[in-house]
Amino acid sequence: MRDFVGFLGRQTGVRLNRYADQSAFLYRILRQIVINPKAGRMLRTRIVVEQIYFTAVEALWIVIPIALLLGSMMILQLSDVAAQHDLGRVTVALLIREFGPLITALIVVLRSATAVTIETGYMKVLNEIEALELQGINPLDILYVPRMIGITVSMFCLITIFCITAVLGGYAIAWALTTLPLQNLLFQIGKAITGLDIAVVALKALFFGVGITVISLHHGLAVQKGITEVPVATSRGAVACLYYCLSVNVILFAAFFL
């Protein structure tokens, strides 16, 4: 029993130290964003654009089909169990407010977060980050800040595209394939969605983008011994991002809707 309690204590201490390190890392990135030094602005802007292209534009071929499939499936399923005047509210609550941001975050974790962790881990092992510092280049400027801005902006864009595609595309597919009375669905959705729903979705996009970036970078920078640690750090980082997104989802739901 004593060994078990000691194990729990050690694990708790390790996790608390990790959370403290991630919080300090987030503070440094946010502080660097506020300072926004003039040197290297063009380079930072180019890296941000490249990150948005990789995270958002190249992910559209994954996001749009999933949104169409999920939207049509949910509308078809919900139309059997919900009355016409409730279908709009249920669609907003499940598809727009809950599943849309969460599934989009999962796609970003599987694509961009793992790539960021792998890239950062290899740069750490090969001493490329130290080489940048020896040349007088702050890694915050060209590595960490652009990735946080790019991934966060991409999260806003992808969630918006996912929700619009899921509702309109799902409605079109359901209308084309069935004879269900869905004529008033778009009107019911427009009537059911509120400013609070939009604010919660925006908060999720912000927290997801910032948290995923910090966790991915932190796990990549934690690699110490060799390249064999990079896959392990990538796996742990992806799982940590998933737990983080689920936790944020639950906390925001409890804060605004309970």
Side-chain angles (χ1 to χ4, degrees), residues 240-258:
C241 288
L242 177 60
Y243 279 124
Y244 168 79
C245 292
L246 291 173
S247 300
V248 169
N249 209 55
V250 172
I251 292 172
L252 289 179
F253 176 80
F256 289 97
F257 301 103
L258 288 183

Side-chain angles (χ1 to χ4, degrees), residues 28-234:
R28 292 180 58 196
I29 295 177
L30 294 179
R31 182 174 178 272
Q32 194 68 19
I33 293 175
V34 173
I35 294 175
N36 190 22
K38 293 182 179 180
R41 283 185 181 176
M42 293 297 296
L43 178 60
R44 288 197 302 273
T45 302
R46 183 171 63 85
I47 297 175
V48 168
V49 173
E50 291 176 352
Q51 186 66 53
I52 293 174
Y53 177 79
F54 172 75
T55 304
V57 177
E58 291 190 347
L60 290 178
W61 71 273
I62 301 175
V63 171
I64 292 177
I66 292 177
L68 288 173
L69 293 173
L70 182 65
S72 58
M73 180 185 67
M74 290 193 64
I75 290 175
L76 290 173
Q77 293 292 332
L78 293 174
S79 62
D80 292 333
V81 299
Q84 187 68 27
H85 63 278
D86 291 331
L87 183 57
R89 289 188 297 175
V90 175
T91 302
V92 170
L94 293 181
L95 192 58
I96 297 178
R97 202 171 64 204
E98 299 298 333
F99 288 115
L102 196 58
I103 292 177
T104 305
L106 179 60
I107 295 172
V108 172
V109 169
L110 293 176
R111 291 191 73 258
S112 298
T114 53
V116 168
T117 305
I118 292 172
E119 179 187 23
T120 309
Y122 277 117
M123 292 184 69
K124 181 68 180 299
V125 172
L126 299 176
N127 298 319
E128 294 182 6
I129 297 178
E130 293 181 2
L132 290 175
E133 293 175 343
L134 290 175
Q135 296 177 45
I137 301 174
N138 189 350
L140 285 170
D141 282 335
I142 64 171
L143 292 179
Y144 312 144
V145 169
R147 277 155 182 76
M148 173 170 286
I149 296 175
I151 292 177
T152 304
V153 172
S154 300
M155 189 67 70
F156 276 97
C157 298
L158 288 176
I159 289 178
T160 302
I161 294 172
F162 187 99
C163 293
I164 294 175
T165 304
V167 172
L168 297 181
Y171 172 83
I173 293 175
W175 178 80
L177 297 179
T178 66
T179 58
L180 293 173
L182 300 174
Q183 292 82 1
N184 297 325
L185 177 60
L186 296 181
F187 173 76
Q188 295 294 337
I189 291 175
K191 186 178 178 180
I193 195 169
T194 63
L196 181 60
D197 295 319
I198 297 174
V200 170
V201 172
L203 284 176
K204 287 183 180 181
L206 176 62
F207 287 135
F208 287 169
V210 172
I212 287 173
T213 307
V214 170
I215 293 172
S216 303
L217 289 172
H218 183 264
H219 277 79
L221 293 172
V223 177
Q224 297 291 339
K225 297 180 181 179
I227 59 175
T228 55
E229 291 186 6
V230 176
V232 178
T234 304

Side-chain angles (χ1 to χ4, degrees), residues 2-19:
R2 182 179 302 174
D3 294 337
F4 178 72
V5 174
F7 173 78
L8 290 180
R10 289 190 296 271
Q11 290 298 315
T12 302
V14 170
R15 291 182 181 275
L16 290 177
N17 288 332
R18 184 185 306 158
Y19 297 151

